[in-house]
Amino acid sequence: MLEFVLFGAGRIGSIHGRNVAAHPQARIRYVVDVNQQFAAQLAAELGATVTSVEEALADPAVNAVIIASSTDTHADLIEASAKAGKAIFCEKPVDLDLERARSCETIVNAAGVPCSLGFNRRYDPSFRALQQAMSNGKIGNLEQVIITSRDPSPPPVSYIKVSGGLFRDMMIHDLDIARWLLGEEPVEVFATASNLVDPAIGAAGDVDSAMVTLKTASGRMCQISNSRRAVYGYDQRIEVFGSQGMLQAGNHTPTTVTFAGEPGVVSDKPLHFFLERYADAYRNELQDFVDAIVSGSTPLTGIRDGIRALELAEACIASLETGKAVKL
Amino acid sequence: MLEFVLFGAGRIGSIHGRNVAAHPQARIRYVVDVNQQFAAQLAAELGATVTSVEEALADPAVNAVIIASSTDTHADLIEASAKAGKAIFCEKPVDLDLERARSCETIVNAAGVPCSLGFNRRYDPSFRALQQAMSNGKIGNLEQVIITSRDPSPPPVSYIKVSGGLFRDMMIHDLDIARWLLGEEPVEVFATASNLVDPAIGAAGDVDSAMVTLKTASGRMCQISNSRRAVYGYDQRIEVFGSQGMLQAGNHTPTTVTFAGEPGVVSDKPLHFFLERYADAYRNELQDFVDAIVSGSTPLTGIRDGIRALELAEACIASLETGKAVKL
Amino acid sequence: MLEFVLFGAGRIGSIHGRNVAAHPQARIRYVVDVNQQFAAQLAAELGATVTSVEEALADPAVNAVIIASSTDTHADLIEASAKAGKAIFCEKPVDLDLERARSCETIVNAAGVPCSLGFNRRYDPSFRALQQAMSNGKIGNLEQVIITSRDPSPPPVSYIKVSGGLFRDMMIHDLDIARWLLGEEPVEVFATASNLVDPAIGAAGDVDSAMVTLKTASGRMCQISNSRRAVYGYDQRIEVFGSQGMLQAGNHTPTTVTFAGEPGVVSDKPLHFFLERYADAYRNELQDFVDAIVSGSTPLTGIRDGIRALELAEACIASLETGKAVKL
Amino acid sequence: MLEFVLFGAGRIGSIHGRNVAAHPQARIRYVVDVNQQFAAQLAAELGATVTSVEEALADPAVNAVIIASSTDTHADLIEASAKAGKAIFCEKPVDLDLERARSCETIVNAAGVPCSLGFNRRYDPSFRALQQAMSNGKIGNLEQVIITSRDPSPPPVSYIKVSGGLFRDMMIHDLDIARWLLGEEPVEVFATASNLVDPAIGAAGDVDSAMVTLKTASGRMCQISNSRRAVYGYDQRIEVFGSQGMLQAGNHTPTTVTFAGEPGVVSDKPLHFFLERYADAYRNELQDFVDAIVSGSTPLTGIRDGIRALELAEACIASLETGKAVKL
């Protein structure tokens, strides 16, 4: 049985904690959160103990950590966990500062511990099946990737202010998916963006709607579109196009029921948000991490991916500021 | 924590056992199976103990039983469990003999224990959403129900021989769904059937393809079609039609990926068979049973439903033999 | 250039008249209608002359007739046209009386003229593609056919009274499609029906909702469902199921636009009624008739098909009255 | 009856010629083509006379011209027709040279004749329904437009060489659709492109795959993707996204037939190419032009639209060369 520490007892921490509790090979030994009440409540549910970062990492029985605390704690926890020799699963991002993220990577590599980064979408059954079909040559040579990612509604402005902005916080997921699907590193990035959804987001210095274009050395291209609001639910779609055809992964719905009546033929809206859409992905992600610990396999998403995606987010911001395609 | 006995450690027993093990309010205390090896293996996985029917039912700590053993044991186990005052969840059918099933019902009612019958399809999220939308008046007055139910491939003839035949074994599920959706008891049943899939099924005296028509007193009508083989997977669809429109529940698929290429636009086949399609239904079914035990609610499917569906299956068989619509 | 007489200048006559006018090899020479105003108006539009039945059929320049007048005139016009040696296209039915229809057939056969019967649905591009794919072995051995046919709204009761009733007027189309798809003559017919849509239809002695089951000698089965009202539009679907898979032909819509918003994901209702849905079918039907005249090919639908479908409609009525499957 | 001259008896000229011939208010009086054989053949089919540009335009009975000849003749024919006072329908582009196109516009405006430009896609029933739903406020405030346009296979390199290149020849359609849907003029254009489909296209100095981003003054954004090859057929889709939801217009298919079998659930490929997909659009386009002549309405697409789209194509080319977003 693998013993886990869970850093962060909030919404996403609870998801990971419950998945570990339901996993036949793993359990949560400790829960750590600055909010003692949250920590105590989740620990009770999971049969775990509340403790501090230091004590948790000092326990030699602990095999692995899950970092699901606030973004500004990620780098410190990664470094401390790596130095303590624990396998690391960290929610994205590594850090909002690229230099700091890179120094984390150095420490993780030096420690030689597995480090999986929470780019959950790669673990989604539909996206994964699309990527595997493409890898198996289903569409011949890949030429174009089109990624749609829209949240059902914008987060509070208080969150926007500490989020690092749309590119580092939201589009980073799509930039990771783009890299994964393109099969080559982007060498050119162009971004444009607007404040269309909520004026308060603009007042906070951020954008809420964005379109990005990537290009690789061999000429493959990718378009990404983002919006902080979609009234019909979480819109998460991928299209890959190549010399032998196209693969598309559509939204997931709660049911397959359709109603035909006066207003037309009506089917379900997409699953509401990431907790619903990516419920399976979170389970697959944990399994991938457990496999990495147990069998030494390389996690599907590592700290390097976190840094690459952050570099692309930085390039988007630079492109937005200069009106030019940024070369990488 | 509710303590369960699991009778039957085969395929469907394992499903129920694991769902109980994952349920926060319930656990498997005992596993009973004539195959001691199966029993021991599943008990180990679930943290349960292998025992006999008698000892399990004699334990006052036991709250409930799950009967997932072979059909010919159902009636005995229902009766013994009812007399021991345990809440009962039983896979369909109650018994292949209608009289015996009715005497089970008498004993269950006398014992006053909750008794839930495993008509899993009513718990499927899509079918349930369809039924609830209809109940909420979405299609006005219901007029027609059309049910499609096709298995991916026929069972072995050894199973066919003890199954009670297509109507009692397979169509019984559709007959239950028909009753549930029609909202009125059928008063007229017509059946026709053929042996088209596997000559060995015909040689065993059974049919493998069937079409049934039901009618209620108010004139509502229902068509059911069954086949023991569908090369594209488990085909489970419902259509209800009324004065204000139509609701359809389609098949479920592993992913939402489509491929557009030379052969056309290709999407996933339906989920392979009942274990995949009804995975959520089995979880919902358990929750409904737990609710019945804990809060005294009436299970969505009870022993009465098992008997009614069996009566309809018998009427189908009589119709097939006489070439007439059978009045009920 | 083929010279046509058009009998009947109403709704369906106008459709056929305009299709002839637009056909490069044919023109309408005469229009005949008891309503002189209708006749004059349509004749003017088509560049034709208004005349009487007798004069039209006496003109040796006339190659063909289209019979789109009221049902009670069909048999007389078929017989007169056959005797005049004209190629005949007749809207269904031949006649509501089976004996009279059979005597028409005798006269047509004796005259040796092409005679095409207006079972328009066989000419629908989707239904035809389905039938051809099946004929090409796409689903292996056919086992089950499921036909859905629902009108958007019931006709006036005045029409119901002269229509011959739902089975001879409406379901006759589906019975023809069933014969065409089954590839074998039905040997057993069961019908049930209700008056659910409009009490005035019941008061007129007819039904408005019906379900029929057909079976062939080799055991193939077919289910048909009919309703005189579907608030979401003309519902015309076919499903054929066999040893190697299933083919389905769905409804046609005005556009491919979908809206995703608060109420769900909404797509178009089916095309409103037969004039819209079968616009292409009427053109294909004319082409098939022209081919029969010009090249001597056998029309896809002939007078024999009209009689067979009427026999099945009569069998439905007998089954409804007796509660038994009628053997043919 | 309106009298038309048809300039150009090739593929697209034949389409327009036949649509005029089938129109109740219009006919082709003259056909003009440098290829006398093509001209004679089409004229015979349409009941028209072969003549020269000069004689055709000199005939006072002529009301309108259709310019469907090679691109390098468009400007001359527009100017001559305008000066002769004829209503003009011209296939895109006005001219590959922007200055020449602008001087055409001056002459057309001075002559005061209706001038409709053949941006056929605006007349497609699905695209038009999407645009009208959006205009009616269906999605609230428009924020994002995503346009997919892929040809089934690349044209011969001989055509590529005189086409003006992908942006002026192919994407110009999408740029027009973008302007139409955005409801505001783009103020910023970014383009990237590759030679992925056919090396011969690259050798001819052109690209065959492109992605473009547009932005308007209010911050609305648009992504366009183009490819010269899609093995599954002509891929023509539009998505518009706004504060109240999303509208999507999908591909059109020959039938609604689906096959469920071993390889999955297979539906039709999109209609093969523009002649099939836009058959209805060409008819609607002609009706719009006839309306403009008869009732003085403004055509949905005018010479101004041709010039604006060309300006955007030029901006794409400039952006591709500089790696910067081009301001307009």
Side-chain angles (χ1 to χ4, degrees):
Chain A
M1 190 66 73
L2 297 174
E3 301 285 330
F4 276 64
V5 180
L6 174 62
F7 295 118
R11 191 165 55 168
I12 189 68
S14 301
I15 296 291
H16 291 308
R18 285 178 197 130
N19 284 341
V20 171
H23 195 285
Q25 296 169 268
R27 59 182 292 271
I28 299 291
R29 188 180 183 96
Y30 299 119
V31 175
V32 181
D33 198 297
V34 290
N35 183 320
Q36 290 293 315
Q37 195 188 334
F38 280 21
Q41 210 167 325
L42 188 60
E45 181 188 329
L46 303 177
T49 305
V50 174
T51 187
S52 67
V53 173
E54 294 69 26
E55 293 194 30
L57 293 179
D59 184 343
V62 166
N63 306 96
V65 305
I66 291 177
I67 303 173
S69 46
S70 64
T71 293
D72 58 356
T73 66
H74 288 190
D76 287 349
L77 289 170
I78 289 172
E79 292 175 357
S81 302
K83 287 172 183 166
K86 312 303 186 192
I88 300 164
F89 174 92
C90 184
E91 273 299 313
K92 66 91 205 165
V94 178
D95 195 89
L96 292 177
D97 180 77
L98 194 47
E99 282 317 304
R100 180 68 197 276
R102 286 178 182 142
S103 69
C104 281
E105 187 189 20
T106 307
I107 290 167
V108 164
N109 289 346
V113 293
C115 180
S116 176
L117 205 82
F119 282 131
N120 53 324
R121 296 186 198 173
R122 293 204 201 183
Y123 301 92
D124 175 73
S126 291
F127 291 171
R128 207 166 188 173
L130 176 144
Q131 196 269 346
Q132 287 176 352
M134 190 176 66
S135 298
N136 293 339
K138 191 83 179 173
I139 60 165
N141 184 45
L142 173 68
E143 295 169 2
Q144 302 187 351
V145 175
I146 296 176
I147 300 171
T148 304
S149 179
R150 297 168 183 149
D151 288 351
S153 53
V157 170
S158 58
Y159 174 81
I160 293 283
K161 285 177 180 166
V162 299
S163 70
L166 180 141
F167 293 100
R168 289 189 196 91
D169 176 56
M170 180 178 179
M171 192 174 280
I172 196 167
H173 278 292
D174 307 295
L175 295 167
D176 177 65
I177 289 289
R179 288 184 59 241
W180 181 49
L181 295 175
L182 285 167
E184 300 172 352
E185 292 296 333
V187 296
E188 191 186 294
V189 177
F190 175 79
T192 189
S194 300
N195 174 225
L196 298 171
V197 172
D198 183 354
I201 293 175
D206 199 4
V207 293
D208 49 33
S209 306
M211 287 185 163
V212 162
T213 309
L214 308 173
K215 196 177 182 179
T216 71
S218 79
R220 291 175 180 170
M221 292 172 284
C222 173
Q223 285 174 328
I224 304 170
S225 64
N226 272 190
S227 174
R228 286 283 194 186
R229 182 248 299 109
V231 298
Y232 51 88
Y234 196 38
D235 194 353
Q236 299 280 295
R237 287 173 287 142
I238 293 176
E239 174 176 320
V240 292
F241 171 80
S243 56
Q244 298 302 317
M246 170 173 66
L247 288 159
Q248 294 172 298
N251 286 311
H252 291 192
T253 54
T255 78
T256 61
V257 175
T258 61
F259 168 65
E262 286 292 353
V265 178
V266 189
S267 54
D268 280 4
K269 287 189 278 193
L271 287 168
H272 179 61
F273 207 1
F274 63 94
L275 295 181
E276 293 85 10
R277 166 60 191 259
Y278 293 121
D280 285 339
Y282 291 122
R283 280 189 284 268
N284 295 338
E285 196 175 51
L286 173 64
Q287 184 59 53
D288 185 68
F289 182 49
V290 166
D291 290 346
I293 301 171
V294 171
S295 72
S297 61
T298 304
L300 180 57
T301 53
I303 192 164
R304 184 90 287 253
D305 299 303
I307 288 162
R308 287 282 193 212
L310 195 58
E311 287 169 351
L312 291 173
E314 298 291 342
C316 289
I317 294 165
S319 172
L320 188 63
E321 284 166 359
T322 60
K324 292 184 196 170
V326 170
K327 308 284 181 190
L328 292 166
Chain B
M1 190 66 74
L2 298 174
E3 301 286 330
F4 277 64
V5 180
L6 175 61
F7 295 118
R11 192 167 54 167
I12 189 68
S14 301
I15 297 291
H16 291 307
R18 285 178 197 128
N19 284 341
V20 171
H23 195 284
Q25 298 169 269
R27 60 182 292 271
I28 299 290
R29 188 180 184 96
Y30 299 117
V31 174
V32 181
D33 198 297
V34 290
N35 184 320
Q36 290 293 316
Q37 195 189 332
F38 280 21
Q41 210 168 324
L42 188 60
E45 180 188 329
L46 304 176
T49 304
V50 174
T51 188
S52 66
V53 173
E54 294 68 28
E55 290 195 30
L57 292 180
D59 185 343
V62 166
N63 305 98
V65 305
I66 291 178
I67 303 173
S69 45
S70 64
T71 293
D72 58 357
T73 65
H74 288 191
D76 286 349
L77 288 169
I78 289 173
E79 291 176 357
S81 302
K83 287 172 183 166
K86 313 303 186 192
I88 300 164
F89 174 93
C90 184
E91 274 299 313
K92 65 92 205 164
V94 178
D95 195 271
L96 292 177
D97 180 78
L98 193 47
E99 282 316 304
R100 182 68 198 276
R102 286 178 182 141
S103 69
C104 281
E105 187 190 21
T106 306
I107 290 167
V108 163
N109 288 347
V113 293
C115 181
S116 177
L117 205 82
F119 282 130
N120 54 324
R121 296 185 197 174
R122 293 204 201 184
Y123 301 92
D124 175 71
S126 292
F127 291 170
R128 207 167 188 173
L130 177 145
Q131 195 269 345
Q132 287 176 352
M134 189 175 67
S135 298
N136 294 338
K138 192 81 180 174
I139 61 165
N141 183 46
L142 173 68
E143 295 168 1
Q144 301 187 350
V145 174
I146 296 175
I147 300 171
T148 304
S149 179
R150 296 168 185 151
D151 288 352
S153 53
V157 170
S158 58
Y159 174 81
I160 293 282
K161 285 177 180 165
V162 299
S163 70
L166 180 140
F167 293 100
R168 289 190 195 90
D169 176 56
M170 179 178 179
M171 192 173 281
I172 196 167
H173 277 291
D174 306 294
L175 295 167
D176 178 63
I177 289 289
R179 286 184 60 241
W180 182 50
L181 295 175
L182 284 167
E184 300 173 351
E185 291 296 333
V187 296
E188 192 186 293
V189 177
F190 176 78
T192 190
S194 300
N195 174 225
L196 298 171
V197 172
D198 183 352
I201 292 176
D206 199 4
V207 292
D208 49 33
S209 306
M211 288 186 162
V212 162
T213 309
L214 308 173
K215 194 177 183 180
T216 70
S218 79
R220 290 175 181 170
M221 291 173 284
C222 172
Q223 285 175 327
I224 303 170
S225 64
N226 271 189
S227 174
R228 286 285 194 185
R229 183 247 299 109
V231 298
Y232 51 90
Y234 196 37
D235 194 352
Q236 299 279 294
R237 288 173 285 141
I238 292 175
E239 174 176 321
V240 290
F241 171 81
S243 56
Q244 298 302 318
M246 170 172 66
L247 288 159
Q248 294 173 297
N251 286 312
H252 292 193
T253 55
T255 78
T256 61
V257 174
T258 61
F259 167 65
E262 286 291 354
V265 178
V266 189
S267 54
D268 279 5
K269 287 188 278 193
L271 287 168
H272 180 62
F273 208 0
F274 63 95
L275 295 181
E276 294 84 10
R277 164 63 191 257
Y278 293 119
D280 286 339
Y282 291 123
R283 280 189 283 270
N284 295 338
E285 195 175 53
L286 173 64
Q287 185 59 52
D288 185 68
F289 182 50
V290 167
D291 290 346
I293 301 171
V294 171
S295 71
S297 61
T298 304
L300 180 57
T301 52
I303 192 163
R304 184 90 287 252
D305 299 304
I307 288 164
R308 286 282 192 213
L310 195 57
E311 288 168 350
L312 291 173
E314 298 290 342
C316 289
I317 294 165
S319 172
L320 188 63
E321 285 166 358
T322 62
K324 293 184 196 170
V326 170
K327 308 286 181 187
L328 292 166
Chain C
M1 190 67 73
L2 299 174
E3 301 286 330
F4 277 63
V5 181
L6 175 61
F7 296 118
R11 192 166 54 169
I12 189 68
S14 302
I15 296 290
H16 291 308
R18 286 179 196 128
N19 284 342
V20 171
H23 194 284
Q25 297 169 269
R27 62 180 292 271
I28 299 290
R29 188 179 184 97
Y30 299 118
V31 174
V32 181
D33 198 298
V34 290
N35 183 319
Q36 289 294 315
Q37 195 189 332
F38 279 22
Q41 211 167 322
L42 188 61
E45 180 188 328
L46 303 177
T49 305
V50 173
T51 189
S52 67
V53 172
E54 294 67 28
E55 290 194 30
L57 292 180
D59 184 342
V62 167
N63 305 97
V65 304
I66 290 177
I67 302 173
S69 45
S70 63
T71 293
D72 59 357
T73 66
H74 288 190
D76 287 348
L77 289 170
I78 289 172
E79 291 176 357
S81 302
K83 287 172 182 165
K86 312 304 186 192
I88 300 164
F89 174 93
C90 184
E91 273 299 313
K92 66 93 206 166
V94 179
D95 194 89
L96 292 177
D97 180 79
L98 193 47
E99 282 316 305
R100 182 67 198 275
R102 285 176 182 143
S103 70
C104 281
E105 187 190 21
T106 306
I107 290 168
V108 164
N109 288 347
V113 294
C115 180
S116 176
L117 205 82
F119 282 130
N120 54 324
R121 296 185 196 174
R122 293 204 202 184
Y123 301 92
D124 175 72
S126 291
F127 291 170
R128 207 167 187 172
L130 176 145
Q131 195 270 343
Q132 287 176 352
M134 189 175 68
S135 297
N136 294 339
K138 192 82 179 172
I139 60 165
N141 183 46
L142 173 68
E143 295 169 359
Q144 302 188 350
V145 174
I146 296 176
I147 300 171
T148 304
S149 178
R150 296 168 184 149
D151 289 351
S153 52
V157 171
S158 58
Y159 174 81
I160 293 282
K161 285 177 180 166
V162 300
S163 70
L166 180 140
F167 292 100
R168 289 190 195 90
D169 176 57
M170 180 178 178
M171 191 173 281
I172 196 166
H173 278 291
D174 306 294
L175 295 167
D176 178 65
I177 289 289
R179 286 185 59 241
W180 182 50
L181 296 175
L182 285 167
E184 301 172 350
E185 292 296 333
V187 296
E188 192 186 294
V189 177
F190 175 79
T192 190
S194 300
N195 174 225
L196 298 171
V197 172
D198 183 352
I201 293 175
D206 199 5
V207 292
D208 49 34
S209 305
M211 288 185 161
V212 162
T213 309
L214 307 173
K215 194 177 183 180
T216 71
S218 79
R220 290 174 181 171
M221 292 172 283
C222 172
Q223 286 174 327
I224 303 170
S225 63
N226 270 190
S227 173
R228 286 284 194 184
R229 183 247 301 108
V231 298
Y232 52 88
Y234 196 38
D235 194 353
Q236 299 280 294
R237 288 172 285 141
I238 292 176
E239 174 175 321
V240 291
F241 171 81
S243 57
Q244 299 301 319
M246 170 173 67
L247 287 158
Q248 294 172 299
N251 286 311
H252 291 193
T253 55
T255 78
T256 60
V257 175
T258 60
F259 167 65
E262 286 291 355
V265 178
V266 188
S267 55
D268 279 4
K269 286 187 279 193
L271 287 168
H272 179 62
F273 207 0
F274 63 94
L275 295 181
E276 294 85 9
R277 164 63 190 257
Y278 293 120
D280 285 340
Y282 290 123
R283 280 190 284 270
N284 294 340
E285 195 175 53
L286 173 64
Q287 185 59 53
D288 185 69
F289 182 49
V290 167
D291 289 347
I293 301 171
V294 172
S295 72
S297 61
T298 303
L300 180 57
T301 52
I303 192 163
R304 185 91 287 253
D305 299 303
I307 288 163
R308 286 281 193 213
L310 195 56
E311 288 169 350
L312 290 174
E314 298 290 342
C316 289
I317 294 166
S319 172
L320 188 62
E321 285 167 358
T322 61
K324 292 184 196 170
V326 170
K327 308 285 180 188
L328 291 165
Chain D
M1 189 67 72
L2 298 174
E3 300 286 330
F4 276 63
V5 180
L6 175 62
F7 295 119
R11 192 166 54 168
I12 189 68
S14 301
I15 296 291
H16 291 308
R18 286 178 197 130
N19 284 341
V20 171
H23 194 285
Q25 297 169 269
R27 61 181 291 271
I28 299 291
R29 189 180 182 97
Y30 299 118
V31 175
V32 181
D33 197 298
V34 291
N35 183 320
Q36 289 293 315
Q37 195 189 333
F38 279 21
Q41 210 167 326
L42 188 59
E45 181 187 330
L46 304 177
T49 304
V50 174
T51 188
S52 66
V53 173
E54 295 69 27
E55 291 194 30
L57 292 180
D59 184 342
V62 167
N63 305 96
V65 305
I66 291 177
I67 303 174
S69 45
S70 64
T71 294
D72 59 357
T73 67
H74 288 190
D76 287 348
L77 288 170
I78 288 172
E79 291 176 356
S81 302
K83 287 172 183 167
K86 312 303 187 193
I88 300 164
F89 174 93
C90 184
E91 273 299 314
K92 65 92 203 166
V94 178
D95 195 88
L96 291 177
D97 180 77
L98 194 47
E99 282 316 305
R100 181 67 198 277
R102 286 177 182 142
S103 70
C104 281
E105 187 190 21
T106 307
I107 289 168
V108 163
N109 288 347
V113 294
C115 181
S116 176
L117 205 82
F119 282 131
N120 53 325
R121 296 186 198 173
R122 293 205 201 183
Y123 301 92
D124 174 72
S126 291
F127 291 171
R128 206 168 190 173
L130 176 145
Q131 195 270 345
Q132 287 177 352
M134 189 176 67
S135 298
N136 293 338
K138 192 81 180 175
I139 61 166
N141 183 47
L142 174 67
E143 295 170 359
Q144 302 188 350
V145 174
I146 296 176
I147 300 172
T148 304
S149 179
R150 297 169 183 148
D151 288 351
S153 52
V157 171
S158 58
Y159 174 81
I160 293 282
K161 285 177 179 165
V162 298
S163 70
L166 180 140
F167 293 101
R168 289 190 196 90
D169 176 56
M170 181 178 178
M171 193 174 279
I172 196 167
H173 278 292
D174 307 295
L175 295 166
D176 177 66
I177 289 288
R179 286 185 59 242
W180 182 50
L181 295 175
L182 285 167
E184 300 173 351
E185 291 296 333
V187 297
E188 191 186 295
V189 176
F190 175 80
T192 189
S194 301
N195 174 225
L196 298 171
V197 172
D198 183 353
I201 292 175
D206 199 5
V207 292
D208 49 33
S209 306
M211 288 185 162
V212 162
T213 309
L214 308 173
K215 195 177 182 180
T216 70
S218 79
R220 290 174 181 172
M221 292 173 284
C222 172
Q223 285 175 327
I224 303 171
S225 63
N226 271 189
S227 174
R228 286 283 194 186
R229 184 247 299 108
V231 297
Y232 51 88
Y234 197 37
D235 194 353
Q236 299 279 295
R237 287 173 287 141
I238 292 175
E239 175 176 320
V240 291
F241 171 80
S243 56
Q244 299 301 318
M246 171 173 65
L247 287 158
Q248 294 173 299
N251 286 312
H252 292 192
T253 54
T255 78
T256 60
V257 175
T258 61
F259 167 65
E262 285 292 353
V265 178
V266 189
S267 55
D268 279 4
K269 287 189 278 194
L271 287 168
H272 178 62
F273 207 0
F274 62 95
L275 295 181
E276 293 85 9
R277 165 61 191 259
Y278 293 121
D280 285 339
Y282 290 123
R283 280 189 285 269
N284 294 339
E285 195 175 52
L286 173 63
Q287 185 59 53
D288 185 68
F289 182 49
V290 167
D291 289 347
I293 301 172
V294 171
S295 72
S297 61
T298 303
L300 180 57
T301 53
I303 192 164
R304 185 88 288 253
D305 298 303
I307 288 163
R308 287 282 193 214
L310 196 57
E311 288 169 351
L312 291 173
E314 298 291 342
C316 289
I317 294 165
S319 171
L320 188 62
E321 285 167 359
T322 61
K324 293 184 196 170
V326 170
K327 308 284 181 189
L328 292 166

